[in-house]
Each structure stands twice: as structure tokens, then as C-alpha cells.
């Protein structure tokens, strides 16, 4: 299938095809929800989305270093090397790393603003030293670079039926909604890495601090204050989803099923968290296979409907043009 995607996108250079294929594999392995949604995109746009995901994942893996084999200094050095490679790649549409080669080509093809990549890497660098965010305002600065810019990078690839400036705030909000969902789902895992992404003021409002979270994670015991804080974080995240949702109708009709599926699947993570009574410090909430399959099936039906409407509109347009041609010029 990847060959069909690359052919449809007009990517012919063997090294570039290999770079995009590497990104696709990263997406399939690490971003299962995201990857499932991309299967609903038109063939010619999937490779670009894989490139954007692959680059983001590569940088994220550098700063997270889950096995803790690298010191912070080594991770900083690798991140700076990636940043330098990207800066050169965006100018030349090349790169030493395959993920850079692919994302630089995508940025060139779709005219993606280079500043969005700089903002992303700035937030990645923050993960090397910042371990908590005292207020939601502080967190907003981080999620702009780590999440909002992802939505903005995607927008030129997806295409819009409105002015891109009108759709942009909703695209940014959707990226943030997905990120906040991940923060809530991964509270325990992030705590193991020494980080707390939930805003300190939200936690404090319910009598929760880092030591209480660590106690619960360590002992496996529950606390009503933590549950209340997590419920508040869920409500905050759902508000961001509501801000993002109107933007789906502003997208190219052919990509709406993909984004609607992603919207539904990530929202389903919040549902799973609530169904498991906010036990995210002790187990990871996941969307069931049955629900993922149902969402994918609904997406396929939407894709078929969008394609049928597009063909019908094309036939009507061609018929109208033929009628005008037969009628001849107006005298």
C-alpha cells in the first residue's frame, strides 16, 4: 500500500521514497490511533501526513529516551543536531536523517511555514529541563509548540474550503485537544519520567500535588482528590474539543472522514478514562478494538459518500459546460 501512496503523491526518487516509508513505519508502530485515521485520507496525501508524524515522533523519542540510556546533555546534543539538519533540509529539501528528508520535502510541496517547525523543536527542548507547569497559561506556551503547530502543519496538506486563516484556530485547537488527551491518559508514565503536564493550579484546586500523585502511583492506592482533579482535566480537554470541532466542516470534504475519525477516536480515550473511573495512574486507558473498528467503518462510509458526491458534482459540472458549448456564445 505504501507504494501506491508514494506513486499517487508523485514521489519517485528512490531515496526519498525510502525516507517516506520510514516515516510511515514510525506512524504505524507508534501512533496506532493516528495511523488508523490516516487510512481514510486520499492516497496522495497520506505520505505527507506520515512525514509530519515521523519527524515529530523522532524528536519526541530523543527527548523522552524511555530507556534512559542518554544523559540530558546527550539528548540536547542530538536535538540540536536534528534542528541543524532540519534547518538545512528546509532550504534544500534534503537532510541526513530520513525523517528530515521526508518532512523537508513535504514542507516544500505544501508550503508549510518553517516557523512552525522551530516552535515545535522549542517545546521539545523544554522537555529536557522543564518538569511541571504551574498554571494553564504556562502550559499553553508548551502545547502551542508541541501540539497546536502540528494542526497548523497539517492544514495545507488537508486543504480547506474556507480561507486557511479561518480554519487555522480550529486546527490548532484540535492538535491541543489531542495533546491534552495524551497528558491525561499518560499521567502515570509521564510521572515515571519526572514530568507532570497537568497544570499545577488545576491540581492545587483539588488539593493535589506531585507528592500525592507519586504516592498513588507507587502504592496503587486511589484518592478522591486525585479523581476530582482528573475529572476537571477531562472537562477542560472536552472544552478544547468543542472549540476544534467546527473546523472539520472547513476542510476539504475528502479529508473530513479522516479528521472526524481521529476526533472520535481521541475523544474515545477520554470516554475510556471515565469508564475506568480515572485510574490513569495505575493503568493505561485504551479505546477498544470494537470501537476502533466501528469508527473506521463509519469513516469508510463517509469516504465513499464524499467520493460519490464529488463524482456527481463533476458530472453535473461537465454536463453544464457541454450545454454551454453546444449553445454557443451569447449574442
Amino acid at each position: 500500500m505504501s507504494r501506491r501512496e508514494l506513486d499517487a503523491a508523485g514521489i519517485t526518487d528512490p531515496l526519498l521514497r525510502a525516507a517516506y516509508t520510514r516515516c510511515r513505519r514510525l506512524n504505524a508502530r507508534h501512533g496506532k490511533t493516528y495511523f488508523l485515521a490516516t487510512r481514510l485520507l486520499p492516497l496522495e496525501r497520506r505520505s505527507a501526513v506520515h512525514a509530519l508524524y515521523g519527524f515529530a515522533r523522532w524528536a519526541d523519542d530523543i527527548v523522552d529516551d524511555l530507556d534512559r540510556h542518554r544523559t540530558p546533555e546527550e539528548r540536547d546534543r542530538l536535538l540540536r543536531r536534528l534542528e541543524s539538519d532540519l534547518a538545512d533540509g528546509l532550504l534544500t529539501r534534503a537532510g541526513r536523517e530520513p525523517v528530515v528528508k521526508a518532512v523537508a520535502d513535504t514542507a516544500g510541496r505544501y508550503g508549510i511555514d518553517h516557523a512552525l517547525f522551530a516552535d515545535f523543536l522549542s517545546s521539545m527542548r523544554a522537555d529536557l529541563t522543564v518538569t511541571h507547569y504551574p498554571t494553564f497559561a504556562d502550559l499553553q506556551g508548551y502545547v502551542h509548540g508541541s501540539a497546536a503547530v502540528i494542526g497548523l502543519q497539517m492544514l495545507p496538506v488537508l486543504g480547506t474550503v474556507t480561507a486557511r486563516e479561518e480554519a487555522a484556530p480550529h486546527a490548532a485547537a484540535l492538535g491541543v485537544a489531542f495533546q491534552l488527551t495524551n497528558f491525561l491518559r499518560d499521567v502515570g508514565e509521564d510521572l515515571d519520567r519526572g514530568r507532570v503536564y497537568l497544570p499545577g493550579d488545576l491540581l492545587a484546586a483539588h488539593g493535589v500535588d506531585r507528592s500525592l500523585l507519586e504516592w498513588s502511583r507507587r502504592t496503587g492506592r486511589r484518592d478522591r482528590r486525585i479523581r476530582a482533579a482528573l475529572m476537571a482535566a477531562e472537562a477542560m480537554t472536552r472544552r478544547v474539543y468543542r472549540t476544534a470541532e467546527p473546523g472539520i466542516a472547513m476542510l476539504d470534504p475528502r479529508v473530513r472522514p479522516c479528521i472526524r475519525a481521529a476526533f472520535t477516536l481521541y475523544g474515545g480515550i477520554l470516554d475510556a478514562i471515565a469508564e475506568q473511573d480515572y485510574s490513569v495512574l495505575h493503568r493505561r486507558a485504551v479505546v477498544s478494538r470494537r470501537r476502533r473498528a466501528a469508527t473506521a467503518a463509519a469513516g469508510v462510509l463517509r469516504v465513499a459518500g464524499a467520493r460519490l458526491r464529488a463524482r456527481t458534482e463533476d458530472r453535473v459540472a461537465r454536463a453544464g459546460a457541454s450545454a454551454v458549448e453546444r449553445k454557443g456564445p451569447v449574442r
Side-chain angles (χ1 to χ4, degrees):
M1 181 63 75
S2 60
R3 279 185 292 191
R4 289 182 59 210
E5 293 170 358
L6 294 166
D7 291 342
I11 301 167
T12 57
D13 176 80
L15 291 177
L16 195 55
R17 288 171 72 92
Y20 274 102
T21 300
R22 177 69 178 277
C23 292
R24 186 181 189 275
R25 288 172 181 160
L26 285 170
N27 196 345
R29 185 183 311 125
H30 298 290
K32 291 181 172 58
T33 298
Y34 198 80
F35 184 76
L36 177 61
T38 64
R39 309 301 299 149
L40 301 174
L41 284 174
L43 271 175
E44 71 276 6
R45 304 194 202 183
R46 295 179 193 173
S47 293
V49 175
H50 295 323
L52 292 170
Y53 178 93
F55 176 77
R57 180 72 199 196
W58 192 264
D60 193 54
D61 282 351
I62 288 174
V63 298
D64 275 348
D65 188 23
L66 300 184
D67 295 328
R68 298 178 181 267
H69 289 156
R70 302 188 185 105
T71 66
E73 293 75 21
E74 288 171 330
R75 284 180 280 160
D76 181 64
R77 185 164 58 252
L78 287 172
L79 195 61
R80 290 184 186 279
R81 184 185 302 169
L82 180 65
E83 190 171 25
S84 175
D85 193 13
L86 179 66
D88 292 340
L90 290 173
L91 293 176
T92 63
R93 288 177 69 165
R96 292 187 298 272
E97 291 286 355
V99 294
V100 172
K101 189 185 296 291
V103 82
D105 183 72
T106 290
R109 287 172 182 264
Y110 289 95
I112 300 173
D113 185 355
H114 293 184
L116 297 175
F117 296 100
D119 289 348
F120 170 75
L121 289 171
S122 177
S123 283
M124 291 301 96
R125 179 162 287 106
D127 275 335
L128 297 178
T129 56
V130 180
T131 60
H132 73 288
Y133 293 88
T135 68
F136 183 66
D138 295 319
L139 182 64
Q140 282 180 309
Y142 174 81
V143 297
H144 165 75
S146 66
V149 300
I150 304 298
L152 297 174
Q153 289 169 6
M154 286 277 290
L155 204 52
V157 177
L158 299 176
T160 62
V161 295
T162 65
R164 193 180 297 173
E165 295 75 15
E166 184 180 356
H170 302 287
L174 190 58
V176 172
F178 291 169
Q179 178 77 295
L180 293 177
T181 301
N182 289 341
F183 288 163
L184 189 55
R185 180 195 63 193
D186 299 338
V187 171
E189 295 173 18
D190 288 331
L191 198 62
D192 292 343
R193 301 183 187 114
R195 302 186 197 131
V196 177
Y197 287 107
L198 298 182
D201 53 359
L202 181 149
L203 296 173
H206 299 278
V208 177
D209 58 16
R210 179 188 289 263
S211 63
L212 184 61
L213 294 174
E214 290 173 339
W215 167 84
S216 180
R217 176 72 169 171
R218 184 177 63 254
T219 63
R221 296 175 64 180
R222 307 286 297 276
D223 188 285
R224 60 179 178 77
R225 293 168 293 178
I226 294 175
R227 184 180 185 278
L230 296 175
M231 288 181 66
E234 179 204 1
M236 174 185 71
T237 304
R238 291 192 186 277
R239 288 194 294 272
V240 182
Y241 275 100
R242 288 194 290 272
T243 298
E245 188 170 16
I248 298 176
M250 300 178 186
L251 299 173
D252 179 338
R254 292 179 298 165
V255 308
R256 290 175 197 166
C258 165
I259 304 307
R260 175 60 66 182
F263 183 94
T264 301
L265 288 168
Y266 271 90
I269 295 173
L270 293 180
D271 296 335
I273 289 170
E275 289 163 7
Q276 294 178 10
D277 199 29
Y278 306 93
S279 58
V280 289
L281 279 165
H282 312 121
R283 59 174 173 160
R284 185 183 180 93
V286 297
V287 178
S288 69
R289 290 184 179 179
R290 179 179 296 180
R291 182 165 184 174
R292 289 201 302 268
T295 300
V300 169
L301 291 176
R302 291 192 189 99
V303 168
R307 289 174 179 170
L308 179 61
R309 285 191 296 273
R311 285 196 294 268
T312 301
E313 291 169 0
D314 186 53
R315 283 197 298 268
V316 170
R318 286 202 304 269
S322 298
V324 170
E325 187 175 319
R326 287 195 301 271
K327 184 176 180 181
V330 176
R331 299 183 184 279

